[in-house]
């Protein structure tokens, strides 16, 4: 895109910041790097609207084909294998498996390209607990039967810090300089969260719990979905700037949306669903350098004989006896006759891929709207130097209060490697944008790397000298958007039902992009097809 640097920084980081950043006109050393991942081939092939003829000798038969090798598809494959069912194939479009939970390998450690943590599940989430057990992440159980995860897998202290007006502070809520009124509102907000944590419907169900399928459907709770989180905060008299920032950050971080764009129900879900009872801490995070890539690697090890990468599924055709799956393997078109298909790729792609979908329209696929993100991995030869001796030290999650980005996570943190080279993963949700996706794909590597370095330089002026390389991934359809009137509108319930012999499994079906939700739908789809 032909923009001046000032226009570029204004578009991503705001006019006052861009003005200040461009004032000196200084030229700085710029690292190498490239745009990685996310093939655009599928979009191109589908837009061409080609008719596909598979040569007679390019057909094979499988009982089940799984389309998509993200957490949902991998979970289905893992479950089928556990149940001694092997007559299936998993087809993944990209060269790498894992979808939005994929990771990279590097020195001194691996690093995430998307999902980077999983909160410790409650004991009731038995299938997820058994996955953690299988991966040897569990230490024991406490007196109440809650699982205790081995310390080396739980996010190490310091977990979070926030940068504000030149200094780093502990935690995410900006406590420093808070007025009495700020403190009162923060405590009132916590009280309201506690009330929802303790709330139960007539059948004893919680309002907010993971997976979302176990949440109460009582209107007292679900009616929160009809308004935005911003509106709910207004209605409850919350005006404190730092409280609103804290809630807005939560929405950007988990949903890629602003406060005004997010349903109040999912806003409260963020704060309540991982808290066992009022007064106790939210569940701790399981993480490792490559983030949720550790789960992808585990699943892949278990099912790799059934996985085919770089396979673009271009058409899924319901037939009299089952379903035919057509995919491009390199330039070659192949066909698979299947009894059933697990559709574990994003829901909005269904009308483009499933033949007859538009005529028969089993659900409103266009209601599954996604937002765009970009993620940058910065390879540093050394740690940024603290500017003040009393600055709160480098943490796992490092957030910039005055930036629309989410800051960065430190890949070496969990391994206790506190000196020397490291990798920082920088996250930028394009939530301010109506057309964030188009905008994102109009920018080149150099533009996005410039945004990332300029943003981080507000906290780390030495970032230009320390960074040897920046690689960037543009996620066009990163996450489903849980805007008001989506989660409890009935759209999801319709889409969860199988269509002919096609069973849907993507995390989109929860309306929230989380590991646990993809895992839940992967298991559900597996039991639908094998009846266990
Ligand atoms: C930047 C970012 C950060 C995140 N952070 C976290 C986090 O910290 N914790 C957390 O729990 N969640 C996080 N999430 C969400 C989490 O990654 C997802 O909820 C989960 O991994 C989704 O898994 P999935 O299998 O449902 O979908 P996806 O990850 O979308 O996988 C779908 C797969 O289908 C493939 N596919 C699509 N079309 C086709 C086709 N035609 N043929 C073949 N294959 C196809 C895709 O290539 C992809 O691999 C994050 C997401 C993003 C984008």
């Amino acid at each position: 895109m032909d923009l001046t640097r000032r226009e570029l920084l204004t578009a991503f980081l705001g006019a006052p910041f861009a003005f200040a950043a461009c004032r000196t006109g200084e030229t700085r050393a710029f690292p190498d790097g490239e745009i990685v991942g996310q093939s655009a081939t599928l979009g191109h092939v589908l837009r061409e609207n080609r008719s596909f003829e598979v040569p007679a000798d390019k057909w094979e038969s499988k009982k089940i084909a799984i389309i998509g090798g993200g957490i949902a598809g991998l979970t289905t494959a893992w479950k089928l294998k556990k149940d001694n069912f092997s007559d299936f194939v998993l087809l993944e479009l990209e060269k790498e498996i894992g979808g939005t939970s994929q990771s990279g390998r590097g020195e001194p450690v691996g690093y995430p390209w998307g999902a980077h943590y999983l909160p410790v599940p409650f004991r009731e989430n038995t299938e997820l607990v058994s996955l953690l057990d299988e991966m040897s992440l569990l230490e024991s159980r406490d007196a109440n039967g809650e699982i205790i995860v081995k310390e080396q897998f739980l996010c190490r202290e310091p977990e979070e810090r926030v940068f504000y007006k030149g200094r780093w502070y502990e935690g995410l809520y900006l406590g420093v300089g808070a007025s009495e009124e700020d403190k009162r509102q923060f405590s009132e907000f916590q009280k309201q969260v506690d009330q929802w944590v303790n709330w139960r419907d007539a059948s004893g169900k919680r309002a907010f719990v993971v997976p979302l399928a176990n949440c109460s459907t009582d209107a007292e709770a679900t009616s929160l979905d009809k308004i935005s989180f911003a509106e709910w905060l207004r209605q409850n008299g919350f005006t404190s700037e730092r409280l609103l920032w804290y809630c807005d950050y939560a929405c950007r971080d988990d949903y890629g949306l602003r406060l005004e764009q997010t349903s109040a129900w999912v806003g409260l879900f963020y704060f309540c669903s991982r808290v066992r009872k009022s007064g106790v801490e939210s569940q701790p995070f399981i993480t490792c350098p490559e983030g949720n890539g550790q789960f992808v690697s585990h699943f892949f090890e278990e099912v790799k004989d059934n996985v085919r990468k770089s396979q673009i599924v271009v058409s899924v055709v319901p037939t009299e006896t089952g379903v035919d799956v057509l995919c491009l393997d390199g330039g070659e078109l192949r066909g698979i006759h299947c009894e059933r298909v697990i559709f574990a790729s994003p829901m909005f792609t269904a009308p483009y891929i499933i033949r007859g979908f538009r005529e028969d329209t089993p659900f409103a696929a266009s209601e599954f709207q996604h937002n765009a993100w970009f993620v940058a991995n910065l390879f540093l030869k050394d740690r940024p130097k603290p500017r003040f001796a009393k600055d709160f030290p480098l943490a796992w999650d490092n957030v910039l209060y005055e930036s629309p980005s989410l800051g960065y996570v430190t890949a070496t943190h969990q391994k206790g490697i506190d000196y020397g080279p490291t990798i920082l993963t920088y996250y930028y949700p394009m939530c301010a944008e109506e057309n964030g996706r188009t905008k994102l794909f109009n920018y080149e590597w150099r533009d996005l790397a410039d945004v990332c370095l300029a943003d981080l330089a507000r906290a780390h002026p030495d970032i230009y000298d320390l960074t040897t390389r920046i690689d960037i991934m543009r996620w066009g359809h990163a996450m489903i958007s849980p805007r008001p009137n989506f989660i409890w509108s009935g759209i999801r319930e319709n889409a969860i039902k199988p269509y002919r012999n096609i069973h849907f499994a993507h995390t989109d079906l929860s309306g929230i992009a989380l590991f646990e939700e993809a895992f839940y739908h992967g298991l559900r789809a597996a039991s639908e097809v094998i009846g266990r």
Side-chain angles (χ1 to χ4, degrees):
M1 210 184 226
D2 199 11
L3 286 181
T4 64
R5 181 161 191 258
R6 185 150 155 203
E7 285 168 326
L8 171 78
L9 297 184
T10 300
F12 280 87
L13 301 171
F17 177 82
F19 177 72
C22 297
R23 206 172 30 189
T24 60
E26 212 181 309
T27 47
R28 313 235 205 185
F30 211 83
D32 288 334
E34 61 184 332
I35 297 274
V36 296
Q38 280 269 289
S39 127
T41 328
L42 174 64
H44 291 149
V45 173
L46 296 179
R47 270 193 296 275
E48 284 170 8
N49 214 2
R50 280 196 239 162
S51 70
F52 298 104
E53 259 330 299
V54 181
D57 62 337
K58 298 289 178 200
W59 282 98
E60 64 182 308
S61 293
K62 292 273 174 200
K63 277 228 161 68
I64 294 170
I66 303 169
I67 305 172
I71 296 296
L74 285 167
T75 301
T76 306
W78 172 74
K79 178 69 177 160
L80 294 180
K81 260 290 166 69
K82 266 171 92 75
D83 286 357
N84 296 317
F85 184 95
S86 322
D87 191 5
F88 72 92
V89 62
L90 184 153
L91 305 164
E92 166 54 44
L93 159 77
E94 302 289 348
K95 290 199 292 289
E96 299 295 336
I97 208 87
T100 53
S101 293
Q102 66 183 268
S103 58
R105 286 169 288 275
E107 273 303 320
V109 288
Y111 50 89
W113 276 119
H116 47 285
Y117 69 90
L118 166 72
V120 174
F122 290 156
R123 60 171 187 270
E124 294 86 345
N125 199 342
T126 50
E127 297 270 18
L128 187 49
V129 168
S130 88
L131 170 69
L132 303 183
D133 200 15
E134 180 180 298
M135 291 175 69
S136 303
L137 303 190
L138 301 189
E139 177 80 55
S140 58
R141 291 191 183 245
D142 70 11
N144 298 321
E146 294 290 355
I147 56 169
I148 300 176
V149 170
K150 289 180 185 161
E151 201 180 334
Q152 66 266 37
F153 301 110
L154 290 180
C155 189
R156 180 181 158 238
E157 293 291 331
E159 198 168 302
E160 295 146 343
R161 63 174 182 169
V162 61
F163 184 79
Y164 178 67
K165 296 208 185 301
R167 302 289 288 260
W168 287 101
Y169 300 96
E170 184 174 11
L172 279 180
Y173 175 77
L174 187 65
V176 67
S179 66
E180 285 311 309
E181 178 58 13
D182 287 325
K183 290 181 196 156
R184 187 197 65 75
Q185 288 197 23
F186 187 61
S187 135
E188 177 56 29
F189 176 74
Q190 299 290 5
K191 268 193 217 144
Q192 301 235 14
V193 166
D194 279 349
Q195 276 169 17
W196 279 113
V197 166
N198 290 341
W199 185 96
R200 297 290 181 275
D201 69 11
S203 60
K205 282 190 165 183
R206 294 172 58 116
F208 307 104
V209 72
V210 177
L212 192 142
N214 294 339
C215 292
S216 168
T217 53
D218 188 299
E220 188 183 342
T222 58
S223 61
L224 289 163
D225 191 45
K226 293 195 166 53
I227 56 169
S228 71
F229 199 25
E231 180 57 26
W232 182 86
L233 287 159
R234 261 194 302 277
Q235 285 178 6
N236 285 279
F238 295 116
T239 53
S240 158
E241 188 216 286
R242 53 193 71 211
L243 174 63
L244 298 183
W245 178 90
Y246 183 57
C247 295
D248 184 64
Y249 168 81
C251 296
R252 288 185 288 130
D253 188 39
D254 256 35
Y255 312 127
L257 296 177
R258 304 299 308 261
L259 266 185
E260 308 76 39
Q261 302 166 314
T262 310
S263 138
W265 190 91
V266 289
L268 286 163
F269 178 94
Y270 175 96
F271 290 101
C272 303
S273 60
R274 272 75 173 253
V275 181
R276 172 58 87 185
K277 57 180 185 203
S278 60
V280 306
E281 299 261 312
S282 193
Q283 295 290 92
F285 294 160
I286 299 171
T287 191
C288 75
E290 68 271 32
N292 289 2
Q294 70 172 320
F295 300 109
V296 172
S297 305
H298 178 78
F299 286 137
F300 184 64
E301 266 314 299
E302 301 295 309
V303 300
K304 57 175 179 265
D305 295 343
N306 301 66
V307 171
R308 297 183 197 166
K309 301 182 198 173
S310 302
Q311 304 287 314
I312 312 177
V313 173
V314 289
S315 194
V316 171
V317 188
T319 63
E320 290 293 304
T321 51
V323 194
D324 287 347
V325 173
L326 277 52
C327 68
L328 279 170
D329 175 3
E332 203 165 54
L333 191 61
R334 293 175 182 278
I336 310 172
H337 297 300
C338 311
E339 284 180 13
R340 285 166 195 276
V341 157
I342 309 280
F343 196 92
S345 36
M347 299 300 285
F348 77 91
T349 63
Y352 300 96
I353 293 179
I354 300 174
R355 194 169 299 168
F357 186 100
R358 289 179 202 275
E359 295 77 53
D360 204 4
T361 317
F363 61 86
S366 60
E367 291 293 328
F368 288 83
Q369 291 168 15
H370 290 76
N371 49 57
W373 287 54
F374 83 86
V375 178
N377 270 299
L378 290 80
F379 301 82
L380 270 61
K381 58 186 178 212
D382 207 349
R383 311 299 157 109
K385 291 213 172 22
R387 287 160 79 188
F388 302 97
K390 284 195 180 154
D391 249 1
F392 193 78
L394 185 66
W396 173 63
D397 194 8
N398 304 267
V399 176
L400 309 170
Y401 189 93
E402 290 147 306
S403 168
S405 78
L406 296 170
Y408 62 89
V409 293
T410 313
T412 43
H413 180 83
Q414 193 57 19
K415 286 279 176 216
I417 307 172
D418 291 334
Y419 301 94
T422 188
I423 301 161
L424 308 182
T425 310
Y426 172 87
Y427 291 89
Y428 191 106
M430 307 284 295
C431 39
E433 309 296 327
E434 271 289 302
N435 56 351
R437 187 168 311 116
T438 318
K439 177 171 157 182
L440 181 59
F441 281 84
N442 279 335
Y443 290 103
E444 307 294 336
W445 168 82
R446 166 102 199 184
D447 300 325
L448 299 175
D450 197 4
V451 168
C452 164
L453 286 167
D455 192 18
L456 293 180
R458 55 174 113 212
H460 305 305
D462 50 356
I463 195 80
Y464 288 91
D465 300 326
L466 294 172
T467 306
T468 55
R469 182 175 181 85
I470 304 186
D471 286 335
I472 293 178
M473 198 175 282
R474 292 176 298 192
W475 292 107
H477 298 272
M479 288 182 187
I480 185 82
S481 299
R483 59 199 193 284
N485 281 317
F486 177 68
I487 301 260
W488 295 107
S489 60
I491 294 165
R492 295 181 310 108
E493 285 82 341
N494 250 344
I496 284 172
K497 293 178 202 144
Y499 169 67
R500 310 280 294 265
N501 281 5
I502 304 165
H503 302 254
F504 298 94
H506 195 268
T507 188
D508 286 358
L509 288 164
S510 287
I512 297 185
L514 289 177
F515 177 94
E516 302 95 311
E517 300 299 332
F519 182 75
Y520 168 83
H521 289 292
L523 290 181
R524 179 189 48 72
S527 71
E528 280 172 17
V529 294
I530 53 173
R532 282 172 241 168

